[in-house]
Amino acid sequence: MDRRNFLGLLAASSLSALSVSSRLWADDDDNQASSLTAVPANTGLSGHIVVVGGGMAGNTLAKYLRMWGGTGVTVTLVEKETTYTSNIMSNLVLNGQRSLDSLSYRRDTLTGHYGVSLRIGEVTAIESANKRVLLADGGMLAYDHLVLAPGLEFDLLPGMGSASEYDTLIPHAWQAGPQTQLLRDQLLAMPAGGTVVISIPRAPYRCPPGPYERACVIADWLKRNKPGSRVVVLDANADITVEKDNFLNAFNVTHAGIIEYKPGCAITQVNSSTREIMYTQNGVSVLIAAGVFNPIPPQRAPDLLGKTGLLNSPDGRFAAVDVLSYESTVLPGIHIIGDASHTTQPKAGHVANQEAKVCADAILRRLSGQQPDPAPVTNSACYSPITASTASWLSGVYQYDPASGTMKLSKLAASAGATNRNYEDMSTWFNALMQDSFG
Ligand SMILES: Cc1cc2nc3c(=O)[nH]c(=O)nc-3n(C[C@H](O)[C@H](O)[C@H](O)COP(=O)(O)OP(=O)(O)OC[C@H]3O[C@@H](n4cnc5c(N)ncnc54)[C@H](O)[C@@H]3O)c2cc1C
């Protein structure tokens, strides 16, 4: 499948009413930056929406609520951090191709142009009966609709005493930031001939191709900078979960002799200080000592949602939603978008952006007394660097299926291998997505 087909596949899913649109896929980033849509006045809609979390999902939602809803719709975004650091592309910090600064996004356009009220702080409790949220600083915010977009939290691995071990000894770096830099520093400090161990949790986890992509980026860098080193991938899943052909080729051909891929591995004990890892594969217990250990831990929606009684997915770790509106299936008036929600779509930034638009549209329709769009269509896209100059990609289109009440995969396509052209297109795609979400 070539680039024309890739763009065609995405266009097939574009929602004119939801502006998922060609603007997101334009090649000229400067044009996008200079074409900010004005917030309309007098749409006749009014209401106060509180959004918790200003990442890929929450920031997009806050922007589109104002852009489509107009000045009568007031939006307050509560976010812990003053700037957002993109996870997408953060694997390229590990090989020195990107800096964390280059992945940092401010919310000036959101507040200055779109008129969203930004409250830097942490929501610690939700009082759904009183329709208000409580903040760690003692503040309180009342809402008409509440949207939760807080991303994920990470489990400890067996043998770990506290989450601070991720910050100091064995960074997961699955939330881009200081741990990403620590992992980069550990790779730089590792002697040539060392072993990097990456562990992958059982699906669902954030960014299905991301761990395999990371193994490739690290292997490619080790080849040039730490001769004789290897990457051991301990995958809790029975097989490569996505883009199997591309990653098998990457492991067995492009990075042959460097990446050792081990499916069906369950980690049973970790010593963060010595970086010794005990795991079982096919019933056999194995001990491996790593020079650098990058555990990607099992993931779940944040405890805030658990305390509120929202974690009703079959495994009890995520919030089940009605995908026409992203409203909780247990607590009406509370919507959950992005990685914290349980849907049939992958946990990905591109999907978080799409869910935000469907949710914004549904809330605005409700403010005007209408039902949500009965046939939403979304898409996902993911580019994976395989070396410092080649990438592969995967894209899917999801359509609402009334029979099952889920978003059903209607088209799936992957690149035929990794190419330089894909690597160039990756930047275009990334810049456009971030412009749409934060610009
Ligand atoms: C290495 C890597 C590569 C990736 N590559 C891709 C890719 O190529 N394509 C793709 O589509 N996706 C990719 N992803 C996945 C993508 O980053 C996530 O799916 C996406 O960030 C999820 O968006 P979100 O809004 O749900 O969560 P986040 O982006 O994590 O945002 C959550 C926000 O909520 C805030 N928050 C949390 N709790 C509170 C609270 N109580 N009060 C206030 N604020 C709070 C946080 O500070 C954060 O800013 C990648 C991920 C990784 C780790």
Side-chain angles (χ1 to χ4, degrees):
M1 164 140 321
D2 62 15
R3 182 168 184 270
R4 181 186 298 272
N5 286 334
F6 174 69
L7 294 175
L9 180 70
L10 290 164
S13 74
S14 69
L15 314 171
S16 54
L18 292 176
S19 179
V20 180
S21 93
S22 54
R23 200 168 81 82
L24 183 58
W25 297 100
D27 274 348
D28 184 344
D29 300 335
D30 294 338
N31 282 347
Q32 293 172 357
S34 61
S35 62
L36 292 178
T37 306
V39 175
N42 300 325
T43 61
L45 299 180
S46 67
H48 182 217
I49 291 115
V50 170
V51 185
V52 180
M56 297 301 296
N59 217 81
T60 307
L61 174 105
K63 166 181 165 175
Y64 275 83
L65 278 172
R66 292 280 296 177
M67 204 168 90
W68 290 337
T71 51
V73 177
T74 56
V75 180
T76 304
L77 172 65
V78 190
E79 165 57 52
K80 285 192 283 194
E81 309 289 342
T82 49
T83 56
Y84 179 71
T85 304
S86 170
N87 300 312
I88 309 177
M89 297 292 138
S90 66
N91 282 335
L92 295 182
V93 174
L94 304 177
N95 69 357
Q97 285 190 297
R98 281 261 185 185
S99 66
L100 280 172
D101 277 353
S102 79
L103 298 176
S104 175
Y105 292 83
R106 298 173 57 85
R107 300 184 179 86
D108 298 345
T109 309
L110 190 71
T111 54
H113 178 78
Y114 292 107
V116 169
S117 185
L118 176 63
R119 177 89 176 250
I120 297 297
E122 180 176 1
V123 170
T124 50
I126 298 164
E127 293 182 351
S128 58
N130 301 323
K131 293 192 132 193
R132 61 185 199 175
V133 297
L134 308 183
L135 279 74
D137 62 10
M140 183 274 289
L141 286 167
Y143 61 79
D144 296 316
H145 284 270
L146 176 65
V147 183
L148 303 177
L152 294 168
E153 285 177 2
F154 299 90
D155 287 354
L156 298 186
L157 294 178
M160 285 181 68
S162 92
S164 65
E165 292 168 37
Y166 288 135
D167 297 324
T168 53
L169 297 167
I170 51 167
H172 57 68
W174 217 240
Q175 183 71 55
Q179 286 191 24
T180 315
Q181 190 58 52
L182 177 62
L183 184 54
R184 161 84 175 148
D185 294 343
Q186 289 185 345
L187 290 168
L188 282 168
M190 187 182 81
T195 300
V196 178
V197 176
I198 300 175
S199 66
I200 305 176
R202 263 183 206 284
Y205 57 84
R206 163 178 280 177
C207 190
Y212 308 108
E213 161 190 321
R214 178 173 285 178
C216 291
V217 168
I218 292 177
D220 181 64
W221 181 83
L222 290 175
K223 219 183 283 183
R224 281 174 280 112
N225 295 280
K226 305 279 174 179
S229 302
R230 64 188 184 128
V231 180
V232 177
V233 180
L234 305 178
D235 194 343
N237 300 288
D239 204 347
I240 294 171
T241 56
V242 281
E243 270 190 82
K244 188 172 171 185
D245 290 348
N246 281 335
F247 287 118
L248 267 185
N249 188 63
F251 294 173
N252 297 333
V253 180
T254 315
H255 302 304
I258 299 179
I259 295 182
E260 202 178 324
Y261 175 70
K262 294 173 176 290
C265 294
I267 293 186
T268 51
Q269 191 73 12
V270 162
N271 183 326
S272 304
S273 304
T274 61
R275 298 193 182 96
E276 288 172 312
I277 306 127
M278 183 83 84
Y279 66 94
T280 56
Q281 188 185 28
N282 302 323
V284 179
S285 210
V286 183
L287 178 70
I288 184 169
V292 172
F293 180 33
N294 172 220
I296 300 172
Q299 296 149 39
R300 60 178 197 285
D303 288 343
L304 173 68
L305 278 71
K307 283 196 300 187
T308 315
L310 288 163
L311 301 188
N312 61 333
S313 63
D315 63 4
R317 295 170 70 84
F318 297 97
V321 292
D322 172 355
V323 285
L324 293 181
S325 61
Y326 289 85
E327 192 167 24
S328 159
T329 54
V330 274
L331 284 179
I334 301 182
H335 304 249
I336 305 102
I337 52 174
D339 288 355
S341 66
H342 167 74
T343 77
T344 50
Q345 301 155 113
K347 296 191 185 302
H350 190 118
V351 170
N353 169 288
Q354 303 268 297
E355 291 180 354
K357 292 172 189 171
V358 175
C359 179
D361 181 66
I363 290 173
L364 295 174
R365 285 179 193 234
R366 190 157 307 169
L367 290 180
S368 66
Q370 296 174 47
Q371 292 300 309
D373 176 356
V377 182
T378 60
N379 63 48
S380 71
C382 200
Y383 279 86
S384 289
I386 300 296
T387 68
S389 59
T390 62
S392 64
W393 58 256
L394 176 71
S395 178
V397 177
Y398 295 82
Q399 285 182 319
Y400 184 69
D401 171 43
S404 61
T406 64
M407 297 300 289
K408 228 175 177 171
L409 184 65
S410 62
K411 288 190 180 121
L412 182 70
S415 64
T419 65
N420 300 132
R421 180 64 201 253
N422 289 345
Y423 193 91
E424 286 162 21
D425 289 346
M426 179 171 71
S427 294
T428 307
W429 162 78
F430 174 65
N431 291 338
L433 176 63
M434 298 315 281
Q435 174 65 29
D436 193 55
S437 303
F438 287 87

